Amino acid sequence: MENQVIKELLQRKSVRVYTEQPIANEDKQLILKAAMEAPTAGNQQLYTILDITDQELKNKLAITCDNQPFIAKGAMVLIFCADCQKWYDAYLEGDCQPRKPAVGDLMLAVTDAVIAAQNAVTAAESLGIGSCYIGDVMEQCETHREMLHLPPYVFPAAMLVFGYPTEQQKERKKPERCNLEDIVHENGYQRKSGGELKEMFRKNYKERDFKSWIQAFCNRKYNSDFSKEMSRSVGEYLKVFEEK
């Protein structure tokens, strides 16, 4: 039987059009507190949340994050940074002779950051507040490092835009997910055949030809300029974590 939490998780969808209603400070604080109560590796909270309140900064992010104007209109914008810097600095302060943060540390911090972000999404949904993840914050490494004052061992893992959804957004159908059996593999990874892949994605192309659909999707997403820029930018962030 579905309880309210399960119902909201199943119904939640990305919201990119908002009313002008502001988010009350008490609700904002609840969302932030919920984020900070998320599971975290060794209770280290390997993340820092940037609360973007400056409208000019929102306007800039709307441009640098792949030209998405709705970002500037969000009632609340949060950037969840994977943060290996604060613990490294603490180790230095305590004369611990720490090794430099490495890729494994970054991956753990990214996990911490995204789990906290999802707690924020869930909390917001329970309050009737919509949200949208923005992966494009990982792009434009040099620009975002300067704009957000990011030190070497801090990586912007995810950005979230929040706001009250318009009626159109409330009524908009949520994109259909894959079948459970396509996503859940028992005891080990099971690589799919071509036919199985076509069946898994059938809801996306339905009566269309699979080849034309997958080629168009690949060009629009995977082979796109923004996708290439994301890989370049993340590679730039990784350089400092790969130094010996």
Side-chain angles (χ1 to χ4, degrees):
M1 188 177 76
E2 292 180 8
N3 59 31
Q4 190 59 28
V5 174
I6 297 295
K7 193 176 296 184
E8 288 169 358
L9 288 171
L10 294 176
Q11 293 175 350
R12 188 267 167 193
K13 62 195 174 204
S14 295
V15 173
R16 295 179 176 85
V17 185
Y18 313 110
T19 69
E20 295 184 3
Q21 181 181 352
I23 295 174
N25 186 59
E26 54 265 36
D27 288 339
K28 179 177 182 176
Q29 295 305 311
L30 280 173
I31 292 168
L32 290 168
K33 287 178 181 177
M36 290 180 60
E37 291 298 328
T40 170
N43 198 29
Q44 296 175 86
Q45 292 185 279
L46 294 164
Y47 55 86
T48 290
I49 304 170
L50 306 184
D51 179 14
I52 309 301
T53 58
D54 184 280
Q55 187 58 49
E56 280 302 311
L57 191 49
K58 286 184 186 180
N59 295 342
K60 289 178 182 177
L61 286 165
I63 295 170
T64 60
C65 292
D66 206 32
N67 295 303
Q68 300 183 78
F70 82 93
I71 294 171
K73 299 177 181 179
M76 180 169 70
V77 176
L78 303 176
I79 300 176
F80 288 76
C81 296
D83 186 357
C84 297
Q85 190 72 56
K86 60 186 176 184
W87 279 95
Y88 184 63
D89 289 346
Y91 294 143
L92 291 174
E93 182 66 23
D95 296 326
C96 299
Q97 298 183 337
R99 58 175 175 79
K100 290 182 179 180
V103 174
D105 304 299
L106 174 61
M107 292 299 99
L108 196 62
V110 168
T111 301
D112 258 21
V114 175
I115 293 171
Q118 186 59 22
N119 257 33
V121 165
T122 305
E125 188 73 15
S126 75
L127 298 169
I129 298 169
S131 59
C132 184
Y133 276 99
I134 307 293
D136 304 279
V137 75
M138 291 187 284
E139 298 173 35
Q140 308 292 337
C141 169
E142 297 83 358
T143 299
H144 287 149
R145 262 184 174 160
E146 181 178 355
M147 187 187 305
L148 302 171
H149 312 295
L150 303 179
Y153 297 118
V154 173
F155 170 68
M159 184 161 76
L160 278 168
V161 181
F162 297 87
Y164 287 94
T166 61
E167 287 303 315
Q168 181 273 335
Q169 287 287 289
K170 289 179 184 178
E171 295 171 7
R172 181 177 57 84
K173 185 180 179 182
K174 178 176 179 175
E176 189 179 352
R177 302 301 198 240
C178 290
N179 295 326
L180 195 66
E181 57 268 25
D182 290 323
I183 300 299
V184 181
H185 299 187
E186 188 171 359
N187 295 324
Y189 192 91
Q190 299 163 33
R191 192 171 181 180
K192 294 184 181 297
S193 66
E196 289 171 328
L197 288 169
K198 289 178 182 177
E199 189 59 36
M200 180 172 73
F201 292 122
R202 186 168 298 281
K203 67 183 181 308
N204 296 94
Y205 63 96
K206 295 177 181 176
E207 304 305 319
R208 294 171 59 192
D209 172 69
F210 170 79
K211 192 172 182 179
S212 62
W213 168 77
I214 197 68
Q215 287 180 355
F217 188 87
C218 182
N219 289 333
R220 182 167 61 90
K221 288 284 189 180
Y222 192 72
N223 283 343
S224 65
D225 288 341
F226 79 81
S227 182
K228 293 172 184 175
E229 163 56 23
M230 186 176 291
S231 289
R232 183 208 68 81
S233 180
V234 171
E236 191 64 30
Y237 280 113
L238 282 171
K239 284 180 182 177
V240 70
F241 289 93
E242 293 172 337
E243 293 175 356
K244 302 299 183 184

